[in-house]
Amino acid sequence: MLVDHVIAPDAEALEAFLRRHLRSDALVQVAAECEVLYHGRAASTADAGDYLLIVKRDGSLQLHGDTGIKPVNWQPQVDDVHLELDDGRLALTAQRFTPPEWVRVTFLAVGFAQAVELTETSGFVLMGTEAEMQRALALEPERIEAGLEVLELELPTPVGGIDLYARDVEGRLVVVELKRGRANQEAVHQLQRYVAAVRDQLDDADVRGILAAPEITGPALERLQGIGLEYRQVTALPTMDDARDEQPSLF
Amino acid sequence: MLVDHVIAPDAEALEAFLRRHLRSDALVQVAAECEVLYHGRAASTADAGDYLLIVKRDGSLQLHGDTGIKPVNWQPQVDDVHLELDDGRLALTAQRFTPPEWVRVTFLAVGFAQAVELTETSGFVLMGTEAEMQRALALEPERIEAGLEVLELELPTPVGGIDLYARDVEGRLVVVELKRGRANQEAVHQLQRYVAAVRDQLDDADVRGILAAPEITGPALERLQGIGLEYRQVTALPTMDDARDEQPSLF
DNA sequence: ACATGAATATTGGAT
DNA sequence: ATCCAATTTTCATGT
């Protein structure tokens, strides 16, 4: 799994190491005190300190500090990585063209560099996405309301796709917006947009809007009801409360 | 910088290593074939394969595969990390309470483990945030429109804060929504909300809405103009085009 | 602790 | 390539 490593290499040794491994299938790491320059979407940033640089097989690059999930600097993919040895210091530049941006890391003092191979990668299982929720509720619309008949999934409108488009027991059209987690004001506005689009299109003011989610924030509920839309608590899938009850030790 | 490391440790050796370093100030890594279970906001996931586990000083945990910026599994902070040796296999469980979720990593075959110290961390410079754009345009509102007078920054409304609240040369009120990057439909709706709130509050239909951004998407512009709102291209700050022109080698 | 909004969000899917 | 919407977004901030 650990393919190769060097401890406290000088600039030449680090350059040799990186040239050997960067374009291989290995994940390359460098722990070093370094300067980092970024220019692109964020205009520009400059950093200096001890960081852990990770360059993955797909060319993505991230530079981690000692706290936080997010890297201090990163580049999702790169079109070009190149090394330059200048003035006794090695610099790695990762550049991409769309959007145009680049990150340059200049190594000042290197702790170690290593190449790691992560070969075995199985598939994964994910349950509880909004898409699954949509399918589940399309099959059992009575979970939202008795007598509800689903007409369309992801019905396109000029302002986006309506999650569930349905007709209620009294024949009124119903726009349903689903949220997997706690619905907030943003979700209310999304629903409002869709309802307005349908009313506009059909020239029919009698269109209902339902926000279906396991939870909703206070301000969101207030606003929702203030504009004549409805909230339905839907617990078709495991919610956060389930996690509170279950203990890891059960596994 | 590299404090300690073990290569291909067995479960007991790995446990000893992790107990020694996990609560220290070091960043701990383990490269291993492992099983990963997650339960929480995403309902649940299960993974197996070769991953690189990183546990930082603040207790945040991330599990990286060999591609992509985002970890396969992660936990922003944890309230509790514990190790269990069961059936000859070591399992690390990281749990947090709000929101309730946990990740459990069971190590099957370990490549190496290491502890890294990242001490030197200087401050950083970041330019080009929306907040800076707001301050810059508040000082020079003529960049948006001649004769514009800024009345308020971040004026609160029931539906959120208005970036710039102003009066135009003809005395009409103007709501300005700023976007640092390319404005999309979401931004248009945000502006629409604010304009509606002001018209409502003042019972005055003659309130203008301006979306100020360096770029705008086609659909967003169409919708914006369709509802009588305006777009102003603002290039008060370095935009993406600057990055295209500049070369890393200039540094 | 909760809610809101920005961000180099990233990622996947549709057009 | 562009755009839109979901995501365990993360993070900072205000209440």
Side-chain angles (χ1 to χ4, degrees):
Chain A
M1 206 167 278
L2 179 60
V3 176
D4 194 7
H5 68 128
V6 281
I7 293 185
D10 61 18
E12 285 81 8
L14 181 62
E15 186 187 13
F17 183 89
L18 291 178
R19 288 200 189 283
R20 195 155 61 240
H21 295 291
L22 267 182
R23 294 300 178 100
S24 74
D25 275 352
L27 180 154
V28 175
Q29 288 189 325
V30 183
E33 186 187 347
C34 45
E35 269 179 21
V36 191
L37 295 174
Y38 164 85
H39 192 93
R41 287 173 284 175
S44 48
T45 64
D47 276 274
D50 284 356
Y51 298 111
L52 183 67
L53 171 71
I54 299 175
V55 183
K56 291 192 179 183
R57 189 165 62 76
D58 61 357
S60 64
L61 167 156
Q62 43 196 308
L63 201 72
H64 281 273
D66 64 349
T67 56
I69 287 287
K70 286 183 67 173
V72 174
N73 257 292
W74 70 94
Q75 206 76 261
Q77 288 144 278
V78 276
D79 297 306
D80 183 56
V81 176
H82 70 268
L83 297 169
E84 272 173 285
L85 194 55
D86 184 31
D87 204 22
R89 286 174 177 171
L90 185 69
L92 180 151
T93 306
Q95 196 170 9
R96 66 173 178 157
F97 305 123
T98 54
E101 56 183 349
W102 50 262
V103 172
R104 164 176 287 203
V105 182
T106 304
F107 301 102
L108 306 177
V110 182
F112 66 87
Q114 65 187 184
V116 184
E117 228 163 40
L118 302 176
T119 43
E120 288 268 333
T121 306
S122 91
F124 73 103
V125 186
L126 170 64
M127 292 159 25
T129 63
E130 186 174 304
E132 283 203 27
M133 188 171 170
Q134 192 182 70
R135 283 191 293 272
L137 289 174
L139 291 172
E140 301 181 89
E142 64 274 13
R143 290 208 180 214
I144 300 171
E145 183 174 287
L148 200 70
E149 179 196 2
V150 174
L151 305 175
E152 295 278 350
L153 298 185
E154 283 299 330
L155 178 70
T157 76
V159 291
I162 292 174
D163 288 340
L164 292 179
Y165 187 59
R167 192 184 298 279
D168 75 7
V169 73
E170 296 178 25
R172 286 175 300 185
L173 290 170
V174 182
V175 173
V176 182
E177 172 67 22
L178 304 177
K179 286 295 158 197
R180 200 191 43 67
R182 185 179 302 175
N184 60 12
Q185 283 207 52
E186 213 52 47
V188 175
H189 291 292
Q190 210 170 340
L191 176 60
Q192 190 180 12
R193 244 151 83 191
Y194 297 151
V195 170
V198 172
R199 285 177 181 163
D200 234 48
Q201 179 69 31
L202 303 181
D203 197 25
D204 172 8
D206 201 18
V207 175
R208 296 170 57 201
I210 296 180
L211 182 53
E215 292 180 83
I216 187 166
T217 67
L221 181 58
E222 208 172 310
R223 177 141 191 86
L224 185 78
Q225 294 174 338
I227 56 179
L229 301 178
E230 305 159 54
Y231 169 64
R232 289 289 179 280
Q233 190 176 42
V234 180
T235 52
L237 289 164
T239 65
M240 298 179 201
D241 290 335
D242 298 329
R244 198 172 299 130
D245 301 334
E246 285 186 44
Q247 291 303 314
S249 51
L250 296 179
F251 276 74
Chain B
M1 206 167 277
L2 179 61
V3 176
D4 193 7
H5 68 126
V6 281
I7 293 186
D10 60 18
E12 285 81 9
L14 180 62
E15 187 188 11
F17 184 89
L18 291 178
R19 288 199 189 284
R20 194 156 61 241
H21 294 292
L22 265 183
R23 293 300 176 101
S24 74
D25 274 353
L27 179 155
V28 175
Q29 289 190 325
V30 183
E33 186 186 346
C34 44
E35 271 178 19
V36 191
L37 295 174
Y38 163 85
H39 191 93
R41 285 172 286 175
S44 50
T45 64
D47 275 274
D50 285 355
Y51 297 110
L52 183 67
L53 171 70
I54 298 175
V55 183
K56 292 191 179 183
R57 189 164 62 76
D58 61 356
S60 64
L61 168 156
Q62 43 196 308
L63 202 72
H64 281 273
D66 64 348
T67 56
I69 286 287
K70 287 182 68 170
V72 174
N73 256 294
W74 69 94
Q75 204 76 259
Q77 289 144 277
V78 280
D79 297 306
D80 182 57
V81 176
H82 71 267
L83 299 168
E84 271 173 285
L85 194 55
D86 184 30
D87 205 21
R89 285 174 177 172
L90 186 68
L92 181 152
T93 306
Q95 196 171 8
R96 66 170 177 161
F97 305 124
T98 53
E101 57 182 348
W102 50 261
V103 172
R104 163 176 287 204
V105 182
T106 304
F107 300 102
L108 306 177
V110 182
F112 66 87
Q114 62 187 187
V116 184
E117 227 165 40
L118 302 175
T119 43
E120 288 267 334
T121 305
S122 92
F124 73 103
V125 187
L126 169 64
M127 293 161 24
T129 63
E130 187 176 302
E132 283 205 24
M133 188 170 169
Q134 192 183 66
R135 282 191 294 272
L137 289 174
L139 290 172
E140 302 182 88
E142 64 273 14
R143 290 210 180 213
I144 300 172
E145 184 175 286
L148 200 69
E149 177 197 2
V150 174
L151 306 175
E152 295 278 351
L153 298 186
E154 284 299 331
L155 178 70
T157 77
V159 291
I162 293 174
D163 287 340
L164 292 179
Y165 186 61
R167 192 184 298 280
D168 75 5
V169 73
E170 296 179 26
R172 286 175 301 184
L173 290 169
V174 183
V175 174
V176 182
E177 171 67 22
L178 304 177
K179 286 295 158 196
R180 201 192 44 67
R182 186 180 301 175
N184 61 12
Q185 283 210 52
E186 212 53 48
V188 175
H189 291 291
Q190 211 171 339
L191 176 59
Q192 189 179 13
R193 253 151 73 191
Y194 297 151
V195 170
V198 173
R199 285 177 180 162
D200 235 46
Q201 179 69 31
L202 304 181
D203 197 27
D204 173 8
D206 201 17
V207 175
R208 296 171 57 201
I210 296 180
L211 182 53
E215 291 180 84
I216 187 167
T217 67
L221 181 59
E222 209 171 310
R223 177 141 192 85
L224 185 78
Q225 294 173 337
I227 56 180
L229 302 177
E230 306 159 55
Y231 169 63
R232 290 290 177 281
Q233 190 176 44
V234 180
T235 52
L237 289 165
T239 65
M240 301 179 199
D241 290 335
D242 297 328
R244 196 172 300 128
D245 302 332
E246 285 186 44
Q247 290 303 313
S249 52
L250 295 178
F251 276 74

